[in-house]
Amino acid sequence: MLEDLLLRRNLIDAGCDDRQIKEFLKLNAYGMVNAQINFLKEQRRHLLECLHFRQNQIDCLDFLIGSLQKSC
């Protein structure tokens, strides 16, 4: 039970929602390690996509800031 609580906390910290957490804990209960690894890799891929999207937004803001500063 403690292991499930620690896994749940870590998955929450990694950005997983309730559905994902239930799915992962089910895989854990059945000892499906390869499926767990694939699950975690997919979550990592998703987070990287979000990061790249936000980085692009920041780059756009930096461009606008730079343009405005040059025009002053």
Side-chain angles (χ1 to χ4, degrees):
M1 191 64 154
L2 181 59
E3 183 181 339
D4 281 358
L5 291 175
L6 293 174
L7 280 173
R8 180 179 294 278
R9 180 74 252 164
N10 198 274
L11 292 168
I12 289 169
D13 291 346
C16 295
D17 61 26
D18 286 338
R19 182 193 57 77
Q20 292 171 306
I21 292 169
K22 286 177 187 174
E23 178 184 340
F24 188 87
L25 292 176
K26 182 178 165 184
L27 296 172
N28 188 57
Y30 289 112
M32 301 176 72
V33 176
N34 287 334
Q36 288 175 288
I37 291 168
N38 289 336
F39 175 97
L40 295 173
K41 285 182 177 180
E42 179 62 24
Q43 178 64 7
R44 184 181 189 282
R45 184 195 60 74
H46 170 73
L47 292 174
L48 273 174
E49 283 180 3
C50 293
L51 177 67
H52 292 150
F53 178 76
R54 293 296 184 194
Q55 181 62 53
N56 187 53
Q57 290 178 319
I58 291 169
D59 292 344
C60 291
L61 289 171
D62 289 344
F63 173 79
L64 290 172
I65 290 167
S67 296
L68 288 170
Q69 287 174 334
K70 286 178 185 177
S71 69
C72 290

